[in-house]
Amino acid sequence: MHLAESLLVATCALAAIVDHRRGLVPTSLTLGACIVALCVHAAGAFSIPGNFLSHLGPLFLHWAGGAVLTALVPLFLWKRGSIGGGDVKLFAAIGAFLGPTRGLEASLYAFCVGCLAGIVVLARDGALGRTLEHVAAGPVDRFRRLFGKDAAPKAKLEETWMRFGPAIFVGTCVALFLHGGGR
């Protein structure tokens, strides 16, 4: 595993631990990780033969593009109140380290792990059945409206929260593992 990937795993692990214990991902951790990622990319420009300055632009775009693109979907979810702001910044740090393609891949795996963990949390809290009924009510209501009937009353769901930092950690590790297997 390269230094950058090791630093990213350490950042995600620390974020997962803090998020699990305190319910937040510290800005100092995510901002620091973005700065470290920029430094790692700049150091990589030194290792490429040729003019150092000519390599900085593409490496900066790789860093910035990864941070922005990887944080777009989480930013939308944060605006809707579905995830925390620290999670968004952690996704940006992941993108800053990995670039756009691998950053998006890591976020996809994180959301898959988060969905699976969410099912477990709903089942543990006894809310899985009510949630599935609520989800199924949408298509049933549309079908009822086709025949001129009113929508069935929906049961009120209580909010169930889980910490997303551990899912981000696992998803990032899966992405790194799948890409690192060929090295």
Side-chain angles (χ1 to χ4, degrees):
M1 185 181 294
H2 293 323
L3 174 64
E5 293 171 345
S6 299
L7 292 171
L8 177 58
V9 167
T11 298
C12 290
L14 184 57
I17 291 167
V18 174
D19 191 27
H20 178 72
R21 290 184 180 166
R22 296 180 46 208
L24 59 93
V25 177
T27 299
S28 57
L29 177 64
T30 54
L31 180 61
C34 285
I35 292 169
V36 168
L38 179 60
C39 293
V40 167
H41 287 300
F46 280 116
S47 66
I48 300 172
N51 183 358
F52 163 75
L53 294 176
S54 67
H55 300 296
L56 276 182
L59 287 172
F60 178 77
L61 286 176
H62 183 74
W63 171 81
V68 170
L69 289 175
T70 305
L72 276 179
V73 170
L75 181 63
F76 173 75
L77 293 172
W78 172 75
K79 286 279 202 185
R80 294 181 46 95
S82 300
I83 65 173
D87 299 328
V88 176
K89 292 177 271 187
L90 184 57
F91 277 116
I94 291 166
F97 271 104
L98 298 180
T101 305
R102 289 179 65 201
L104 288 170
E105 184 178 348
S107 67
L108 173 66
Y109 292 130
F111 282 111
C112 289
V113 170
C115 286
L116 293 173
I119 291 170
V120 170
V121 168
L122 286 170
R124 179 197 69 199
D125 293 349
L128 183 60
R130 289 188 306 277
T131 302
L132 292 175
E133 286 175 14
H134 191 75
V135 169
V140 169
D141 285 345
R142 286 192 187 124
F143 186 73
R144 289 175 58 95
R145 283 190 212 117
L146 284 175
F147 295 101
K149 297 186 180 196
D150 291 334
K154 291 185 181 175
K156 178 133 172 78
L157 293 177
E158 67 251 17
E159 289 185 0
T160 300
W161 286 94
M162 65 174 230
R163 308 290 186 226
F164 199 48
I168 296 171
F169 168 68
V170 172
T172 301
C173 288
V174 167
L176 291 173
F177 175 77
L178 292 177
H179 280 280
R183 285 189 203 162

